[in-house]
Amino acid sequence: GVDARAHDAALLMSREHVRHVPIVDASGSGRVVGVVSERDLFALQRRSLVQIGVAIDGAASAQALEVAARDIRRFARQLLAQGVAARVITELVSHLNDRLTVRLVTLVAAEHAMDLRQACWVAFGSEGRGEQTIATDQDNGLVLSPAAMPDRARWLAFGDAVNRALAAAGYPLCKGGIMAGQEACCLGADEWQARFDHWIAHGAPEDLLAASIYFDLRPLAGSTALVGPLVDSIATQASATPRFLKQMADNLLAQRPPLAWHGGIAGNEIDLKLQGTAIFVGGARLLALAAGVRATGTHARLQSAGAKLGIAQQDTAAWIGGFEYLQTLRLAAQVAADGAEPGNRVEVAKLNDIDRRVLREALHAARRLQQRIELDYP
């Protein structure tokens, strides 16, 4: 429709393998009022979204996907240089990373003679939320069907092979071991359910940390039907367990945005992830769980949960705006670091006056989100 965003058209072109999309009027009649082409959307790109997607889908080896992964990162840098919004960039990057992962899982499954109808490859963390940035490591797992359980050792070997191939393509291994090739992340559906039940029932510090990663869950390849009941159980059980929500709230409030008593930014260097976006991500997760919302993305969680919980639209809009601005700064920092650690830190003194002011307002929005949570979970 005429009110759709440009990147919605780009994603549609990529998913449907087309280069032109008709635009219909807003009356609902279906009358075509124009056509948008791939050239219109990505005229300045040397390699377009569709071209990268086609290269991924046609890749015959893990080595070919390594080239595609470099193109994804180059594509993201070009979009950032053109001033494209952070949410658009992270959605596009996550979409392409999804396609690359699915293709790689398919290739490795064929090499190992594994039947993907018996399991599901799932994404956690930022990939599960569809919010991957340029510098991101792996958070993934396998959900096994009852028929796959006797072959768990083979599924572990398969998961490890995919993890190593992803690492070779530029997606670092997870330092915390949250990967399908690890025993703790290659489980039957009932075993995953038992873990989720335990975390909600107990809420110890390690349980809350696990929930903050694993509850951002999304299926990518294989039998997605195995994951639906897990997503449903998270939404229903968490909302019905006030004690767990209170524990999550207390955990979220332990990390405060770096603001001084006079309202300015405290310190010259801040971690845009730990001291910024993580507050919005955690707040959105908590509100979504409280409202029984099944969305995983931070933007969608804030919108949907805010509406269900009766939160003023101007508040959710401010939280979303603050989150997306911090994501933009994170992307810029990662491009500047060019893969060097830490990639999420920024020196406030090096920002121009406008960026410093907007950064301050984004951090104030994070504080207001925490204040809302303090009122809801005293």
Side-chain angles (χ1 to χ4, degrees), residues 259-333:
L259 291 168
W261 64 270
H262 52 74
I265 299 173
N268 180 47
E269 185 176 82
I270 68 172
D271 188 310
L272 295 167
K273 179 179 180 181
L274 295 180
Q275 298 175 290
T277 59
I279 295 174
F280 290 105
V281 169
R285 183 187 300 110
L286 173 58
L287 295 177
L289 290 173
V293 169
R294 286 159 173 75
T296 56
T298 299
H299 182 281
R301 280 173 165 171
L302 288 172
Q303 275 195 327
S304 300
K308 280 196 170 187
L309 298 173
I311 299 172
Q313 189 174 1
Q314 65 188 31
D315 290 336
T316 55
W319 299 336
I320 290 168
F323 169 68
E324 293 184 354
Y325 178 75
L326 291 173
Q327 283 284 74
T328 300
L329 286 187
R330 282 187 67 201
L331 286 164

Side-chain angles (χ1 to χ4, degrees), residues 11 17 47 143:
L11 284 170
H17 308 291
R47 298 209 71 191
V143 181

